[in-house]
Amino acid sequence: MLYELMSCKQYEPMRARDLAVLLQIPSGKREELHKVLDILLKEGKVTISKRGKYEAVRKPEKDRRKQTEKQEKKEKTGLGYKKGHVYTGTFISHPRGFGFVEIPGEEERQDIFIPEEQVGRALHGDTVQVTVQKEEKNGRRCEGAVTRILEHGIEEIVGTYEQSAGFGFAVPDNQRFARDIFIPQGKAMEAEDGDKVLVKIKDYGRGGKSPEGIVTEILGKPGEKGVDVLCVAKSYDLPMEFPEKVANQAQRVKETLNEGDFYGREDLRDVVMVTIDGEDAKDLDDAVSLTKENGLYHLGVHIADVSNYVQYSSALDREALKRGTSVYLVDRVIPMLPKKLSNGICSLNAGEDRLALSCLMDINEKGKIVSHRIVETVIRVNERMTYTDVKKILLGEDEAVTEKYRELVPMLLEMGELSGLLRKRRKKRGAIDFDFPESKIRLDDSGKPVEIYPYEQNVATRLIEDFMLAANETVAEEYALLGLPFVYRTHDTPDGEKMEAVLEMVHQAGVKVKKAKEEISPKEVQKILKELEGMECEPFFARLLLRSMKQARYTTQCSGHFGLAAKYYCHFTSPIRRYPDLQIHRIIKEHLRGKMTEAKIRHYAEILEEVAGQSSAMERRAEEVERETVKMKKAEFMKQHIGEVMEGTISGVTEWGLYVELPNTVEGLVHVNSMRDDYYTYEKEKYRFVGDMTKKVYSMGQKVKVRVEQADIATKTVDFSLERED
């Protein structure tokens, strides 16, 4: 309604308070008006002038012409949704009542907007039929109405139990699930008021009734150690325990090897090798060895032979496929395999005989792999090393550490040389390196965050990354050329339209870019990142370039990896924590043993599409839940610092304000409405705000002092205000 009001010819631009008076909004409700205005700003439907006046966006003639051409193209190619037509998709709810319907396989089109009054009884995640009521036109999104619910997408909800006389309600943590769930008497498992609970929905509600459910698990009380992370994990349906059958099967796996296990394997127990991992790692699935003679490096990447213990279609295997990956949360790991395997017989523990699949590569002094062998082996790791110690040795930072590992130092120094050669060669072909530091969060004994800091790659982490990439590419190339069914890790070329918009912004920032509406190459992205180095806007544009790219995924077709500029790539090196690696180990072993019959080829061809799809989906879920728990702990940490002034860097500039990142990686928003010392104009092309009277500029990469105003653990957000200068 606000947007339509501003779109009227009679409308004169006005401030928020004038709109409130015009619409007779009482002072107690004006915060809601600001929130709606913020949404309209965020969606680009309205703009705010330097005087703080709002008006609907009127596209310039050039943009309108472009939009018309785009619309005509859609109509000619049949890409646009047609009025009156019915489509099936997934309903994505918004906490404010409206929503969108995502149509599968229609990435070229925008999602269909569903106004609040047309949502009906649809709930977040439901599969619905939607009838188009307004076609996409003049930049306005296609609108529709939910006409039928085909399947409910969410069966369980995590929420807070609220006790009433004789019954209760569960208030969902997921703000997109906009309905409280009625809990009948006797169905609450003795949950107390305020408890965090897991609820199974039994009835989704009809005729104005609330959805109804039963409490299936009491997760704990808010504030108890680990309950917050557990709630997030449960809300993503992450399995916290292994089924009894799986646990029993893991218990039956023997803990040591005997001579019979070595049959048909190459014995590499006399080869000097090490594992290099983080201090707290317990599932060690890769070891490395290196010798050098006559200018040739002999690199061995030795990977735990997990498939020897996890047989196809066993209870262990089915559970591993269901999980897809291990999930690393801020206070726990949810493993793909039971600890008896992942930390025991499958882990390449120093001094223990272990079964492995080894990729043995010969590499020349230009970093080119000139020959290789993939073999089943038995190995014995000499030393369990950490990234910290290897870094100290390679950089000569600690004589005591160097002395402690003096027998391994020559090999480690040669590994450092080879790592540099491999990286240089990869960079030369155009591989892109987005080196964003990870956030590391240290918790105290009660699970409260006490320190957040950036964890950046170093020479040791890069060394292992370079060796693993080399093995992954080598294995992928061999099996692609053999033409056997396989699971590849692919990364498609970026979407042209998305990338063109980013390149336009980069161009306006003063960086030369090739803009010829042709497919961009990894080399060109690498060149742009090089040009941006040292510029204030570098972190912003690097993130923007990354976001404009497609997500890597698992596929059965070898279509290459854009980011690595690699023609062949797979995941071979982490079978303890990734299912695709475990799956291709089976294929490799069948081939090595000469057992890849026509029947086996047909079998793998039938199952691998599902394996690739499931693995990609579970990887997305893991990334999302990991990100959510980190954001939650960051908000909890900043809650302890309300009112404090800190220095940060402007990491993003949007119509609704400035994003500021602190040195500890926490990012917060300075809302435009809080910038009250002047009227600020948002200059979209230059990604900056300029003060009307003071001419003060706030732009990308600029250092600013901010005050911590608010930190909301529920929404996982942090709000700042700019600290006024003297």
Side-chain angles (χ1 to χ4, degrees):
M1 184 271 284
L2 267 173
Y3 179 72
E4 287 172 0
L5 168 69
M6 292 184 205
S7 300
C8 290
K9 287 181 181 178
Q10 296 83 0
Y11 174 79
E12 291 290 332
M14 57 180 77
R15 294 187 179 90
R17 63 171 176 264
D18 301 322
L19 281 165
V21 171
L22 175 69
L23 300 170
Q24 297 181 0
I25 298 171
S27 56
K29 291 278 186 180
R30 290 187 184 182
E31 184 60 30
E32 291 180 26
L33 171 67
H34 282 287
K35 285 177 181 175
V36 176
L37 288 168
D38 290 345
I39 291 168
L40 291 170
L41 280 169
K42 195 171 182 178
E43 291 180 350
K45 291 183 177 177
V46 305
T47 186
I48 186 167
S49 75
K50 58 188 178 183
R51 296 286 182 188
K53 295 183 178 183
Y54 292 88
E55 61 180 317
V57 172
R58 291 176 174 79
K59 293 183 179 291
E61 186 58 39
K62 184 183 170 186
D63 284 3
R64 275 205 300 272
R65 195 162 57 246
K66 259 186 164 180
Q67 191 62 43
T68 306
E69 286 169 5
K70 213 169 172 185
Q71 190 65 30
E72 285 172 357
K73 185 183 173 186
K74 279 187 178 180
E75 286 168 5
K76 281 179 187 173
T77 56
L79 283 177
Y81 294 113
K82 302 294 182 186
K83 187 175 180 180
H85 283 216
V86 177
Y87 300 90
T88 300
T90 305
F91 178 67
I92 307 300
S93 175
H94 190 280
R96 301 196 192 284
F98 58 86
F100 301 89
V101 172
E102 292 178 349
I103 310 298
E106 299 291 351
E107 288 77 16
E108 293 292 319
R109 315 190 203 189
Q110 282 190 316
D111 301 334
I112 300 171
F113 174 67
I114 311 295
E116 186 175 1
E117 64 274 13
Q118 302 294 354
V119 167
R121 303 294 298 171
L123 297 167
H124 181 66
D126 287 355
T127 302
V128 300
Q129 283 186 342
V130 56
T131 303
V132 173
Q133 296 185 325
K134 292 180 184 176
E135 293 183 9
E136 186 181 335
K137 198 171 183 182
N138 299 328
R140 291 189 63 169
R141 194 186 283 267
C142 169
E143 287 188 17
V146 174
T147 49
R148 191 178 175 194
I149 298 166
L150 301 177
E151 186 181 358
H152 290 293
I154 294 178
E155 296 179 354
E156 290 185 321
I157 279 286
V158 172
T160 304
Y161 183 71
E162 291 186 356
Q163 181 67 56
S164 293
F167 60 90
F169 279 94
V171 181
D173 284 0
N174 186 345
Q175 295 185 328
R176 291 182 182 275
F177 198 95
R179 312 279 301 284
D180 293 348
I181 301 157
F182 175 71
I183 311 294
Q185 189 169 12
K187 301 294 182 182
M189 279 187 70
E190 299 183 0
E192 297 177 353
D193 193 58
D195 281 354
K196 304 300 289 187
V197 294
L198 182 66
V199 174
K200 187 168 184 62
I201 302 171
K202 291 294 188 181
D203 185 339
Y204 290 84
R206 289 185 182 84
K209 285 186 178 179
S210 293
E212 187 176 310
I214 61 170
V215 174
T216 56
E217 191 177 346
I218 299 169
L219 304 177
K221 296 189 182 297
E224 285 182 349
K225 182 181 178 180
V227 169
D228 52 355
V229 176
L230 178 63
C231 286
V232 176
K234 286 284 187 180
S235 69
Y236 282 88
D237 198 24
L238 285 175
M240 307 305 291
E241 305 292 337
F242 284 95
E244 188 178 353
K245 194 174 180 182
V246 175
N248 290 341
Q249 201 171 83
Q251 283 302 319
R252 289 196 294 271
V253 174
K254 60 183 182 178
E255 297 181 19
T256 55
L257 303 177
N258 56 47
E259 286 300 318
D261 294 317
F262 305 159
Y263 178 74
R265 291 178 178 267
E266 205 164 307
D267 193 338
L268 300 183
R269 284 177 289 179
D270 291 335
V271 174
V272 176
M273 61 182 69
V274 295
T275 58
I276 307 175
D277 291 274
E279 277 84 351
D280 52 357
K282 293 182 178 66
D283 50 349
L284 315 178
D285 48 16
D286 57 88
V288 289
S289 61
L290 186 71
T291 57
K292 186 183 180 184
E293 54 184 349
N294 302 323
L296 209 59
Y297 295 91
H298 304 293
L299 172 66
V301 173
H302 313 277
I303 308 301
D305 187 0
V306 179
S307 64
N308 191 74
Y309 307 100
V310 181
Q311 306 302 319
Y312 171 70
S313 204
S314 64
L316 272 168
D317 182 54
R318 290 195 300 274
E319 183 66 17
L321 175 58
K322 182 182 171 185
R323 292 176 178 230
T325 180
S326 294
V327 185
Y328 296 84
L329 304 180
V330 288
D331 67 346
R332 71 194 76 191
V333 177
I334 303 172
M336 183 179 81
L337 296 170
K339 283 183 181 177
K340 174 84 185 294
L341 291 175
S342 61
N343 296 0
I345 192 67
C346 291
S347 185
L348 304 182
N349 300 328
E352 302 283 345
D353 290 349
R354 290 289 185 260
L355 304 182
L357 263 181
S358 298
C359 182
L360 308 174
M361 296 162 276
D362 297 326
I363 305 170
N364 66 21
E365 289 184 315
K366 291 184 177 179
K368 183 181 180 182
I369 300 167
V370 292
S371 64
H372 75 274
R373 290 189 304 130
I374 301 167
V375 287
E376 291 184 75
T377 57
V378 55
I379 63 172
R380 185 186 294 143
V381 170
N382 295 73
E383 196 72 55
R384 186 250 196 263
M385 301 198 70
T386 66
Y387 291 126
T388 305
D389 284 347
V390 173
K391 170 180 170 270
K392 287 175 180 176
I393 291 168
L394 294 177
L395 299 180
E397 293 178 342
D398 191 320
E399 286 182 20
V401 171
T402 303
E403 176 60 26
K404 180 182 176 183
Y405 297 110
R406 66 180 181 277
E407 292 181 6
L408 297 171
V409 167
M411 180 180 77
L412 292 169
L413 292 175
E414 284 182 347
M415 283 182 172
E417 284 174 19
L418 178 58
S419 169
L421 292 172
L422 290 169
R423 187 163 286 261
K424 186 178 178 182
R425 186 175 183 85
R426 209 167 56 245
K427 193 172 183 180
K428 191 176 179 182
R429 76 184 185 204
I432 306 161
D433 186 11
F434 289 104
D435 196 8
F436 298 121
E438 284 182 44
S439 296
K440 288 290 178 182
I441 301 175
R442 188 166 65 83
L443 307 177
D444 64 14
D445 292 339
S446 63
K448 303 291 181 190
V450 291
E451 185 185 10
I452 299 176
Y453 57 95
Y455 177 79
E456 299 195 42
Q457 283 197 323
N458 58 46
V459 288
T461 59
R462 282 195 286 267
L463 181 151
I464 289 298
E465 180 185 308
D466 293 330
F467 291 176
M468 297 308 120
L469 289 175
N472 286 336
E473 288 186 46
T474 300
V475 170
E477 182 173 6
E478 175 166 328
Y479 281 84
L481 296 178
L482 283 170
L484 292 174
F486 212 64
V487 178
Y488 298 95
R489 179 70 169 175
T490 58
H491 185 215
D492 294 336
T493 304
D495 175 79
E497 278 190 19
K498 272 188 183 178
M499 186 55 79
E500 193 181 348
V502 176
L503 294 181
E504 178 65 43
M505 294 175 206
V506 173
H507 175 69
Q508 286 169 357
V511 176
K512 288 180 183 177
V513 294
K514 214 173 163 187
K515 284 190 83 283
K517 287 194 174 179
E518 55 193 51
E519 260 191 15
I520 193 164
S521 70
K523 193 84 175 168
E524 286 164 326
V525 176
Q526 187 194 75
K527 191 179 173 186
I528 290 166
L529 289 170
K530 183 74 179 166
E531 291 266 345
L532 286 166
E533 261 180 36
M535 294 175 69
E536 286 186 334
C537 56
E538 181 193 353
F540 171 72
F541 282 124
R543 283 191 176 95
L544 214 54
L545 282 163
L546 182 62
R547 285 171 191 156
S548 67
M549 293 184 183
K550 293 183 178 176
Q551 286 184 307
R553 60 198 173 100
Y554 297 106
T555 61
T556 56
Q557 301 301 313
C558 185
S559 57
H561 196 291
F562 179 85
L564 293 170
K567 189 175 179 183
Y568 308 99
Y569 194 65
C570 71
H571 275 170
F572 160 78
T573 53
S574 295
I576 290 177
R577 60 185 181 88
R578 291 190 305 230
Y579 192 82
D581 307 50
L582 171 59
Q583 179 61 74
I584 68 171
H585 276 219
R586 291 195 185 111
I587 295 169
I588 292 167
K589 285 167 68 176
E590 297 270 22
H591 173 66
L592 292 176
R593 294 172 180 181
K595 293 182 178 179
M596 188 57 80
T597 61
E598 285 298 322
K600 287 276 175 67
I601 290 172
R602 283 196 303 274
H603 162 72
Y604 285 118
E606 285 169 8
I607 69 167
L608 290 187
E609 285 289 354
E610 184 193 342
V611 168
Q614 169 71 0
S615 299
S616 295
M618 293 304 96
E619 179 188 41
R620 298 284 173 268
R621 180 178 72 171
E623 287 171 350
E624 201 169 331
V625 72
E626 286 166 17
R627 191 165 53 243
E628 288 300 298
T629 53
V630 166
K631 281 164 61 181
M632 178 178 69
K633 286 297 179 185
K634 282 182 175 180
E636 185 180 354
F637 178 78
M638 294 308 292
K639 209 168 179 64
Q640 305 161 38
H641 298 277
I642 301 289
E644 292 183 27
V645 175
M646 302 176 178
E647 187 173 70
T649 305
I650 297 176
S651 56
V653 183
T654 66
E655 280 179 297
W656 56 92
L658 310 168
Y659 284 97
V660 176
E661 188 174 303
L662 303 179
N664 65 3
T665 73
V666 171
E667 191 176 61
L669 174 67
V670 176
H671 199 284
V672 67
N673 287 351
S674 71
M675 297 163 66
R676 297 194 182 99
D677 61 324
D678 199 348
Y679 294 112
Y680 286 92
T681 302
Y682 172 57
E683 295 184 355
K684 187 175 181 179
E685 295 76 18
K686 295 181 180 177
Y687 276 86
R688 67 182 193 176
F689 277 103
V690 180
D692 183 31
M693 295 178 288
T694 61
K695 302 301 178 189
K696 182 155 183 60
V697 175
Y698 290 107
S699 59
M700 292 297 309
Q702 187 178 330
K703 292 271 192 293
V704 290
K705 284 188 177 177
V706 293
R707 184 181 295 276
V708 184
E709 295 290 347
Q710 188 179 346
D712 191 324
I713 298 172
T715 59
K716 307 174 183 70
T717 56
V718 178
D719 289 330
F720 295 142
S721 65
L722 290 169
E723 182 69 1
R724 291 186 183 180
E725 296 173 3
D726 293 336

